[in-house]
């Protein structure tokens, strides 16, 4: 039973699980209600039947009604937990698209620098991982045709992944009440063939996200402290992404998106070992979009993919 278009890799399995749960529930409801109706009629007032309520144990029946539901529900549990793990494990070749929610619109950023508002262009067959954050309150990206849904939180990156399987235009909703225009906060996912999508990307690209980040790195004054040769003693950032950072308080953290994001907005937490906590906070001074561009730049800084110093 499907009332929605089914346009991602998860469609079939999520629908099967849903239908199995629905079917099982119907069977249980029928068993309860049919028994209830039969007993109501059979033992109604004035009817001459045996009401002594004599009890006699039947081990076979008791084992059956204990073990059969147990097996069914453990089976459902194993099925759903495997599906859940799959939903939470993006494949390595998944392409990242950044999503920023704000009252009341969606902003999408492709790694090539293409930026979209309330419309998201994707290609069939390409696994996509949405890395999402919010500029204000909690939102939620729900794409029913893909059977995915995930909260979007301020100050955190959450993600969801899927592979679009069918070209077409699908609805995207905000599925978390976020204020006055929540009901109108939505958008469209346009799934194209790989060729059409490549043409679309080529026609909308200007500067890659990393190139935009390189420019912002200078504009926000990051370079003044973090470039080699700067007078201020600040951590070097080349090759930082993905490495393990020893902190001043003895802990160790992995330099991932969250760490870089928080180092910009909350520099006083997670201070790198050997450095004074002198960095000013950029909270409310920098948009989430600019932070994403800076992180994209930091990921390639010091590697052979680093964009040239174009300004
Ligand atoms: Cu954003 Cu509801």
């Amino acid at each position: 039973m499907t009332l929605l278009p089914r346009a991602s890799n998860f469609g079939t399995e999520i629908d099967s699980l849903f239908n199995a749960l629905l079917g099982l529930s119907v069977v249980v409801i029928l068993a309860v209600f049919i028994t209830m109706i039969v007993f109501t009629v059979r033992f109604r007032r004035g009817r001459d039947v045996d009401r002594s309520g004599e009890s006699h144990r039947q081990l076979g029946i008791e084992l059956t009604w204990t073990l059969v539901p147990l097996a069914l529900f453990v089976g459902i549990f194993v099925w759903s937990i495997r599906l859940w793990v799959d939903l939470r494990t993006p494949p390595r070749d998944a392409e990242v698209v950044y999503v920023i929610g704000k009252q009341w619109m969606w902003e999408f950023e492709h790694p090539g620098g293409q930026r979209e508002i309330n419309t998201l262009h994707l290609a069939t067959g390409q696994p996509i991982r949405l890395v999402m954050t919010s500029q204000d309150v909690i939102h939620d990206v729900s794409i029913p045709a893909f059977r995915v849904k995930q909260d979007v939180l301020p100050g955190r990156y959450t993600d969801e992944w899927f592979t679009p399987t069918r070209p077409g235009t699908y609805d995207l909703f905000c599925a978390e009440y976020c204020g006055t225009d929540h009901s109108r906060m939505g958008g469209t996912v346009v799934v194209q063939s790989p060729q059409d999508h490549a043409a679309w990307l080529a026609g909308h690209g200007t500067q890659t996200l990393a190139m935009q980040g390189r420019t912002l790195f200078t504009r926000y004054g990051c370079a003044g402290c973090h470039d080699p040769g700067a007078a201020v003693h600040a951590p070097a950032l080349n090759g930082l992404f993905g490495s393990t950072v020893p902190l001043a308080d003895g802990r160790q953290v992995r330099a991932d998106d969250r760490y870089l994001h928080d180092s910009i907005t909350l520099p006083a937490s997670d201070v790198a070992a050997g450095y004074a906590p002198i960095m000013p906070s950029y909270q409310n001074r920098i948009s989430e979009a600019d932070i994403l561009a800076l992180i994209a730049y930091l990921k390639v800084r010091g590697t052979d993919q680093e964009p040239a110093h174009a300004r």
Side-chain angles (χ1 to χ4, degrees), residues 85-289:
V85 169
D86 195 15
L87 272 160
R88 298 309 312 159
T89 317
R92 287 185 177 281
D93 62 339
E95 191 174 286
V96 171
V97 174
Y98 293 99
V99 181
I100 300 162
K102 45 186 136 178
Q103 288 170 320
W104 288 273
M105 57 183 268
W106 294 108
E107 189 175 326
F108 302 101
E109 306 232 8
H110 297 263
Q114 297 84 355
R115 183 175 292 194
E116 305 186 72
I117 303 288
N118 291 342
T119 307
L120 173 60
H121 284 77
L122 300 172
T124 52
Q126 168 66 54
I128 294 292
R129 181 171 155 235
L130 300 180
V131 173
M132 315 183 289
T133 190
S134 162
Q135 190 125 313
D136 36 50
V137 300
I138 302 178
H139 303 277
D140 187 303
V141 168
S142 165
I143 311 171
F146 294 171
R147 308 293 191 272
V148 292
K149 179 177 177 297
Q150 171 65 48
D151 271 10
V152 177
L153 308 170
R156 261 177 76 172
Y157 289 115
T158 54
D159 64 350
E160 66 187 340
W161 85 273
F162 49 80
T163 306
T165 50
R166 219 187 324 154
T169 303
Y170 306 103
D171 288 326
L172 181 149
F173 296 106
C174 178
E176 181 69 47
Y177 179 66
C178 56
T180 314
D181 276 346
H182 156 72
S183 61
R184 276 191 252 170
M185 181 171 172
T188 309
V189 182
V190 180
V191 178
Q192 305 170 295
S193 69
Q195 298 84 342
D196 290 352
H197 187 61
W200 182 88
L201 284 177
H204 290 77
T206 45
Q207 283 194 313
T208 66
L209 216 48
M211 284 157 72
Q212 297 170 21
R214 175 73 192 86
T215 311
L216 293 170
F217 193 74
T218 307
R219 189 186 305 157
Y220 280 107
C222 316
C225 297
H226 287 283
D227 265 354
V232 178
H233 181 55
L237 302 178
N238 286 14
L240 173 65
F241 187 80
S243 67
T244 304
V245 182
L247 299 182
D249 60 9
R251 286 179 299 131
Q252 301 213 328
V253 292
R254 225 177 92 81
D256 54 9
D257 296 68
R258 183 210 62 87
Y259 173 76
L260 295 180
H261 177 282
D262 289 359
S263 296
I264 296 167
T265 56
L266 306 163
S269 63
D270 295 357
V271 175
Y275 294 92
I278 51 172
M279 174 160 159
S281 167
Y282 282 79
Q283 196 157 33
N284 303 323
R285 290 169 58 193
I286 182 169
S287 69
E288 291 293 340

